[in-house]
Amino acid sequence: ALADPLLGAYPRYWQLRYQLQTGTGPVPNQEVQDFINNSNNKHLADRLQSEWIVASARAGDYNRALSLDPVYSVTASTQCASKLSRVMTGQQVNSEKALEVFAPAAICWSMLDELAKRGVVSFDDIVFKLRGILETNQTGTAQRMAAIIFNGAEMKQYAALIKNPKTWLKGQSKPSSRAQEELITIALSRLARGGNRSADADYIQQNWANVLPAENIEWVYSQFGLIAALNVESDAARWYRMSGQQRLTDYNHAWEVRSELRGHPIDWERVQQAINRMTERQASEPVWVYWLGRAHAALGNKAESMRLYATIANELNFYGQLANEELGHTPYIPDLPEKPTTDEVDSVRANIGLQRAIEMFKLGWRMEAVQQWVYALQGMSDRELLAAAEYAKQEHIYDRVVNTSLMTRDEIDFRQRFIAPFEGRVTEKAREINLDPAWVYGLIRQESRFITDARSRVGASGLMQLMPDTARWVAKKIGMTDFHISKVNEFDTNTVLGTNYLRIVLNQLNGSEVLASAGYNAGPGRPKQWRSKLQAPVEGAIFAETIPFTETRLYVKNVMSNAVYYSMMFTGEPQYLKERLGVIAPSGGSQVAQN
């Protein structure tokens, strides 16, 4: 069995990986090298080499770790191991890049400890990273990060202030050290998570505004803005406006922009300033390019707004579509390339990496199969990628059809990227209950990529990713007498229940596809709550961008973008995203946006 050319390498790989990861006994250098040299599974050889880098650095064999770079299967641990090895062999390491690759893995902590000990990363570097971790309330990771810059006595204070910042602050006076100053700043920031931000802000102003540096107090107010924004509260922008113009984390700047977008009226100058303070990497993302363009347009700088829109107009996504509409372009589908020929498909079918992936898909080893598939696509031309997508289509592995076709650069095939499988049966189910098939297909594409047996980490199942309790409830509501939970992955059962649930959610949310998409993902009660906190009607794009749950925010934007493209595919007519998004009103009403 171990000689099997497709899957035989896996047992030996698992064994060696276990030895490298657990550190039981000496690093099996020769055995690992033999596997890498002799295995016909180059993907596994590369992954094992990545694990070997980490194991070598952990064992203090830094020269070996450096000799094994580079690898394709780069992880945060691999990057941390490489940077640790460089500093331990006397080479220079950039502190900013080291902090960028950091993840809460053992080897990354070793890297950071060593860089701090050698002064490569400074107290302020760690403070900035620590504050960013606290913003997302990862208290365990934050405590370990704090231990790099605070001594034992200070860590006792840190633990106390995280547990109860108000109580801890009562015993504090003017700080006598930079560390004490930061502890007080962190404690004040944690007050934002309490129940009375206005009273706590008054306390800060009266007791600490003249004690701590102004930039510390401003950062504290940014945390009040962040928590208010995540709770879609109307005063979020007010808190952010008290945070000055200093550099915050990209995460915080993003929420500063979102808080302004939900404001009434929108302070477009603050939107512009917040985006301009983002790192270049984040500011270049289509979402922020678009909103910066909108800010320039609102402030009367039409030429700059048009220039910004044009930089993302070729992006075939939510903000690329909106930018095209702002430019006055008619929505379009790229010209379809020639379909892959039989010879082209046969050529990629001979690729052993793709063959191996197909076998693993058949076995249900989806995670391993996807990794093998992606690795096998390395270096393929557009024509080869299109042929690989066609190969996946012939094998009915529809997520690989979409994701593989998305990798092409010049030859863009929407027949693959927006595949509509199951021979119109989804359309039939949608039309039976007066749902737009394009929206349903857009939702399924985002939910499951048309994997009929897809199962999420929380237990949702099938094409339309139904939770068991939801499936039972809908089955009862529509009178499906033969329903059993074991049938939830069956095509007909899943699509009947899924489309009916979507219809119910759409009815509850006043016919708004934006709200119903959010409700399908996060539960219909949440978009009702987010809508109720609006100060005035907002365009659908603003509502979508300011959804506080990252997963739901991305989900809604993708579903709505998908729906527009499917509609164009089905009708052959231009379809406008802004029109489909409409306007969301706090009362629950919605209306079609005007182009």
Side-chain angles (χ1 to χ4, degrees), residues 3-6 8-9 35-43 352 356:
D4 179 271
L6 293 182
F35 181 92
I36 291 170
N37 291 343
N38 301 322
S39 176
N40 74 337
N41 191 327
K42 298 306 178 187
H43 170 55
I352 192 170
R356 184 176 289 121

Side-chain angles (χ1 to χ4, degrees), residues 339 388-398 401 415 419:
K339 290 184 177 181
E390 179 62 27
Y391 177 26
K393 180 182 176 183
Q394 292 174 7
E395 297 289 341
H396 307 292
I397 306 172
Y398 298 116
V401 179
R415 292 165 303 202
I419 191 171

Side-chain angles (χ1 to χ4, degrees), residues 174-241:
K174 186 174 181 178
S176 57
S177 67
R178 177 71 181 84
Q180 194 66 24
E181 185 178 275
E182 186 57 30
L183 288 169
I184 293 171
T185 301
I186 291 171
L188 294 175
S189 77
R190 301 299 287 179
L191 296 179
R193 298 175 183 272
N196 194 338
R197 276 186 283 281
S198 293
D200 288 334
D202 289 341
Y203 162 77
I204 292 169
Q205 195 63 34
Q206 293 166 13
N207 294 277
W208 298 102
N210 297 320
V211 175
L212 295 176
E215 59 266 24
N216 289 43
I217 296 297
E218 288 174 349
W219 177 74
V220 168
Y221 282 131
S222 81
Q223 300 309 291
F224 278 62
L226 174 62
I227 300 304
L230 290 171
N231 286 287
V232 290
E233 294 172 3
S234 59
D235 61 350
R238 176 173 68 89
W239 295 118
Y240 270 120
R241 291 169 192 175

Side-chain angles (χ1 to χ4, degrees), residues 467-594:
M467 292 294 289
D469 287 347
T470 303
R472 292 189 189 94
W473 179 78
V474 177
K476 185 176 180 180
K477 192 170 184 66
I478 66 173
M480 183 182 283
T481 55
D482 63 342
F483 173 75
H484 188 275
I485 198 64
S486 63
K487 300 171 70 174
V488 75
N489 277 355
E490 294 178 5
F491 174 87
D492 286 328
T493 300
N494 194 273
T495 50
V496 167
L497 293 177
T499 53
N500 273 278
Y501 180 56
L502 190 57
R503 176 79 258 177
I504 292 167
V505 174
L506 185 66
N507 290 344
Q508 290 179 355
L509 293 165
N510 305 91
S512 165
E513 289 182 0
V514 172
L515 293 174
S517 298
Y520 194 91
N521 179 262
R526 289 195 173 99
K528 287 180 182 178
Q529 179 189 23
W530 301 331
R531 176 189 64 193
S532 71
K533 292 185 178 182
L534 290 169
Q535 300 173 66
V538 298
E539 51 189 276
I542 288 178
F543 186 89
E545 186 54 52
T546 58
I547 290 172
F549 294 176
T550 300
E551 178 189 319
T552 306
R553 182 170 63 255
L554 297 175
Y555 177 92
V556 170
K557 290 189 289 186
N558 285 328
V559 168
M560 298 306 293
S561 172
N562 293 346
V564 168
Y565 281 134
Y566 272 116
S567 187
M568 285 196 283
M569 291 287 287
F570 293 163
T571 66
E573 299 293 331
Q575 303 290 325
Y576 289 87
L577 177 57
K578 198 169 185 179
E579 181 178 318
R580 186 175 283 266
L581 292 170
V583 171
I584 309 298
S587 64
S590 61
Q591 62 191 66
V592 173
Q594 299 299 312

Side-chain angles (χ1 to χ4, degrees), residues 134-205:
L134 285 169
E135 285 177 352
T136 55
N137 210 29
Q138 300 173 66
T139 53
T141 302
Q143 182 171 351
R144 176 66 177 84
M145 185 68 69
I148 297 175
I149 54 173
F150 297 137
N151 63 33
E154 291 162 349
M155 281 305 296
K156 288 183 179 178
Q157 294 188 63
Y158 176 86
L161 72 87
I162 291 294
K163 184 177 181 180
N164 193 326
K166 282 187 177 180
T167 301
W168 181 83
L169 282 163
K170 289 177 182 177
Q172 304 306 308
S173 56
K174 186 174 181 178
S176 57
S177 67
R178 177 71 181 84
Q180 194 66 24
E181 185 178 275
E182 186 57 30
L183 288 169
I184 293 171
T185 301
I186 291 171
L188 294 175
S189 77
R190 301 299 287 179
L191 296 179
R193 298 175 183 272
N196 194 338
R197 276 186 283 281
S198 293
D200 288 334
D202 289 341
Y203 162 77
I204 292 169
Q205 195 63 34

Side-chain angles (χ1 to χ4, degrees), residues 26 58 69 149 188 193 225 269 287 302 358 439 446 501 536 544:
R58 190 174 60 237
D69 260 343
I149 54 173
L188 294 175
R193 298 175 183 272
E269 188 171 354
V287 49
K302 184 176 180 180
I358 293 293
W439 180 44
Q446 184 61 27
Y501 180 56

Side-chain angles (χ1 to χ4, degrees), residues 247-321:
R247 177 198 169 205
L248 304 173
T249 62
D250 277 344
Y251 177 74
N252 210 350
H253 281 313
W255 280 107
E256 181 179 11
V257 174
R258 293 180 184 120
S259 73
E260 293 291 350
L261 292 176
R262 281 183 70 100
H264 181 65
I266 297 171
D267 187 335
W268 287 106
E269 188 171 354
R270 288 287 303 190
V271 170
Q272 182 185 71
Q273 291 169 352
I275 295 173
N276 285 338
R277 292 200 306 277
M278 292 176 177
T279 62
E280 183 179 349
R281 182 175 61 183
Q282 175 158 299
S284 65
E285 294 173 5
V287 49
W288 308 120
V289 172
Y290 174 79
W291 289 114
L292 183 59
R294 289 288 302 274
H296 277 289
L299 295 170
N301 191 350
K302 184 176 180 180
E304 179 61 9
S305 70
M306 293 293 107
R307 186 193 70 80
L308 288 166
Y309 297 144
T311 66
I312 60 171
N314 290 328
E315 299 275 348
L316 300 171
N317 55 30
F318 187 85
Y319 281 110
Q321 289 164 290

